[in-house]
Amino acid sequence: MNKEIEKTIDFVKDFFKDDISGHDWWHTQRVWKAAQYICEKEKADAFIVEMAALLHDIDDHKFSSVEDEKERSKTRKWLDTLGIGQEKIDRIIDVILTVSFKDKRHAIKPETLEAQIVQDADRLDALGAIGIARTFAYGAQINRPIFDPEESQEENGSSINHFHEKLLLLRDMMNTKTARIIADRRHEIIAKYLREFMDDWSGKDFLS
Ligand code: NI
């Protein structure tokens, strides 16, 4: 393995060692592996993709300007220690900033293939069996109920609602064909889970 990537893995592991927010090393590792796989199929720059995937959750990305980012970015400070050159550093940072737009209005397809891949990899981790686990873990953290039968689906409420409002939309937002295939399968797992959940909730087993 490339030695900058190896060093960065150690850096990220250490960075997340006390983290309980769900954006932990294991999330990063899954995103990195997914990004590697997609990158191989889609033929993008593997070094940029892997570094951006590994570092995508280090900063909170609430920078107000380019200068602000340069001043406060822990990611950039780390990259500066590696001696990989300014051009690569800027490309990695650019991917991370593109991927981390949380605002719906920014849900436009990233310009570079590298950013498209890392965004897909990050979104894939919100789907499937792990996506379900992460949704409830995060819900508990912010005091969200599992389900509220009184709420309408447009309201911001329960974890079950979060599946409808956000996670079930991700499949159609995948940038690459490779990710879309994986997303299809993981989407179905969530859809099936939601059907089972509502069956159990309504006591279907007791209606005979
Ligand atoms: Ni992430």
Side-chain angles (χ1 to χ4, degrees):
M1 195 190 297
N2 175 302
K3 75 173 187 309
E4 284 89 23
I5 288 178
E6 233 169 289
K7 280 191 197 168
T8 300
I9 290 170
D10 289 341
F11 166 74
V12 178
K13 272 187 188 167
D14 188 61
F15 182 86
F16 283 125
K17 70 177 185 297
D18 299 317
D19 201 286
I20 49 154
S21 77
H23 274 124
D24 53 13
W25 159 249
W26 302 111
H27 163 70
T28 297
Q29 190 188 53
R30 290 189 299 269
V31 172
W32 172 48
K33 283 184 180 170
Q36 262 179 301
Y37 175 82
I38 301 167
C39 186
E40 220 168 275
K41 302 260 175 193
E42 302 281 337
K43 313 240 177 298
D45 186 326
F47 182 69
I48 302 296
V49 165
E50 288 193 46
M51 290 294 278
L54 285 168
L55 293 164
H56 83 278
D57 272 337
I58 294 291
D59 282 303
D60 61 8
H61 313 299
K62 290 188 187 84
F63 303 120
S64 56
S65 62
V66 180
E67 289 70 41
D68 186 35
E69 184 273 315
K70 286 192 171 160
E71 181 66 30
R72 294 197 295 127
S73 168
K74 296 181 210 92
T75 308
R76 189 177 287 277
K77 286 191 177 105
W78 168 252
L79 290 171
D80 282 340
T81 68
L82 293 176
I84 54 174
Q86 208 49 56
E87 192 256 331
K88 278 185 184 157
I89 291 177
D90 287 342
R91 283 177 68 200
I92 293 165
I93 297 275
D94 183 67
V95 170
I96 294 170
L97 290 178
T98 309
V99 166
S100 63
F101 275 128
K102 302 276 188 280
D103 197 315
K104 263 191 198 153
R105 283 167 297 170
H106 293 286
I108 38 166
K109 196 168 175 162
E111 271 174 38
T112 68
L113 182 56
E114 286 73 21
Q116 290 176 15
I117 289 171
V118 178
Q119 186 175 65
D120 281 355
D122 197 27
R123 284 172 172 172
L124 280 177
D125 204 48
L127 294 176
I130 287 180
I132 294 170
R134 287 180 71 210
T135 299
F136 290 115
Y138 178 68
Q141 234 180 76
I142 60 166
N143 250 327
R144 189 183 252 171
I146 290 174
F147 178 54
D148 174 4
E150 312 275 87
E151 80 194 342
S152 77
Q153 283 197 357
E154 299 84 56
E155 262 174 85
N156 219 344
S158 67
S159 290
I160 291 295
N161 191 48
H162 183 73
F163 286 107
H164 292 286
E165 252 201 350
K166 266 194 122 172
L167 305 185
L168 290 178
L169 309 180
L170 291 178
R171 172 174 66 173
D172 292 329
M173 289 162 70
M174 292 294 156
N175 303 302
T176 64
K177 241 165 113 187
T178 308
R180 171 69 196 224
I181 293 166
I182 302 167
D184 270 337
R185 192 183 65 79
R186 294 189 181 184
H187 180 98
E188 282 315 315
I189 289 167
I190 291 185
K192 180 162 193 280
Y193 176 80
L194 290 172
R195 289 194 296 273
E196 295 279 344
F197 184 98
M198 292 319 296
D199 282 353
D200 291 356
W201 188 277
S202 61
K204 198 182 175 215
D205 289 328
F206 316 127
L207 304 169
S208 58

